[in-house]
Amino acid sequence: MSDQQLFPAELADLFEDGAGARTLSVPLPAGRLVNTDEGDGPPGLWMTKEAAAAGLWVEVHAEHHRSGLWPLLLEALHDDEEFRPWGSGELSLKRVTSPDLHDPADVLIDWWDEYAHSDDTTAPFQRWPGLAPGKPPAIDPDEVACEYATRLQSWSPSMRLGLIAADRGADALAAAGWTGPLNHTNDTGEIVTVLRSWEDRFGVRVVGASFADLYLSVAAPPATLEEAIHVAAEHFAFCPDNIWQNSHPHTLIGYAERLVKRTSWSFWWD
């Protein structure tokens, strides 16, 4: 059997050049290509028709370097029958600019200036503190991602597997046309440029997404509260709802305490 035959024919449509020399030896369950509801572009996503088997994300992820396919664990909005937004195609490629056009520091400071107010929420920072220093991960980021994917599936066994043509996990969100942070920014390209920076600085990997939720593994999390407060400032700019609605108390310091040595980050936009 040739390498070409090893690549599922329907997945070749995810690539502009077709399958080329790509290979994927992992047997896949029944699935389908998903077009955006705009209907004016190629499909950006292939999705299983049923919940993904335990371990499937890990198996497909191991072949990313040969297949060019990044796996995402996909969750539906309130177990919706249409499996929104994925099954319903509530995705948009029109709202995504190239992440290459943005600088993560510029994007974050713009959001900080828009959402930070003169109260105690963002103390001890009165002004944008700049990007948090990165550090090399002590553990292989892909190993941490696989462990987190396994936990995610155990917590939410109805998650399906999505496959997206992307060189890195952050880019998969843009390629799929995900619009989860629409109430924060209508350009997923801005979200992606920050995620790329986190991949480089903290060993982050994009593991899953829902209607407006994002699930990341973190191989080099902050080790102290001092480090965590700096990272928390980026999280606030990236997703203020994490502090305003999902953190108790609703302060940067209170939120930062939960980031120390935490190997997964999740975000939810209202």
Side-chain angles (χ1 to χ4, degrees):
M1 181 178 291
S2 70
D3 284 350
Q4 181 68 33
Q5 290 174 310
L6 285 173
F7 197 89
E10 64 178 327
L11 298 185
D13 291 340
L14 296 173
F15 298 89
E16 291 184 3
D17 61 351
R22 298 175 181 89
T23 64
L24 180 67
S25 62
V26 178
L28 295 175
R32 67 180 179 92
L33 294 169
V34 178
N35 291 90
T36 69
D37 55 12
E38 294 163 348
D40 58 352
L45 167 72
W46 179 92
M47 180 180 70
T48 58
K49 292 184 177 179
E50 303 292 340
L56 184 58
W57 190 98
V58 174
E59 292 182 68
V60 175
H61 178 266
E63 297 198 23
H64 172 255
H65 65 289
R66 293 192 286 110
S67 71
L69 295 168
W70 187 268
L72 276 184
L73 289 173
L74 306 179
E75 189 174 46
L77 176 66
H78 307 311
D79 294 324
D80 183 85
E81 290 185 4
E82 289 186 279
F83 210 79
R84 297 176 61 197
W86 317 103
S88 57
E90 294 173 70
L91 308 165
S92 176
L93 298 176
K94 288 181 178 179
R95 292 174 176 164
V96 180
T97 59
S98 170
D100 296 331
L101 299 175
H102 307 288
D103 178 88
D106 292 341
V107 169
L108 287 170
I109 194 172
D110 285 347
W111 287 338
W112 175 275
D113 288 345
E114 181 175 355
Y115 294 105
H117 305 298
S118 56
D119 56 26
D120 293 334
T121 301
T122 58
F125 302 119
Q126 300 302 315
R127 303 174 59 184
W128 168 243
L131 296 181
K135 58 183 180 181
I139 307 174
D140 181 356
D142 294 312
E143 179 182 332
V144 178
C146 289
E147 292 174 355
Y148 183 47
T150 300
R151 294 202 307 271
L152 266 183
Q153 284 195 274
S154 68
W155 297 333
S156 183
S158 63
M159 282 182 152
R160 300 186 191 182
L161 182 75
L163 299 179
I164 300 104
D167 292 334
R168 53 199 296 178
D171 291 1
L173 298 172
W178 181 65
T179 61
L182 182 60
N183 290 337
H184 182 58
T185 174
N186 61 3
D187 183 0
T188 302
E190 294 180 334
I191 294 290
V192 169
T193 197
V194 175
L195 293 175
R196 283 179 173 183
S197 181
W198 288 350
E199 286 177 339
D200 297 337
R201 285 184 289 139
F202 305 115
V204 159
R205 295 293 183 266
V206 178
V207 175
S210 182
F211 194 89
D213 297 78
L214 183 60
Y215 305 106
L216 312 176
S217 63
V218 190
T224 65
L225 182 59
E226 182 180 2
E227 291 180 9
I229 292 173
H230 210 145
V231 173
E234 292 194 32
H235 283 207
F236 175 80
F238 184 75
C239 180
D241 287 319
N242 263 33
I243 287 82
W244 288 340
Q245 301 196 43
N246 288 353
S247 176
H248 300 283
H250 305 304
T251 64
L252 210 61
I253 293 176
Y255 177 80
E257 290 173 346
R258 297 161 48 196
L259 295 181
V260 177
K261 298 182 181 180
R262 187 178 182 89
T263 57
S264 63
W265 297 342
S266 61
F267 299 91
W268 172 77
W269 290 266
D270 192 1

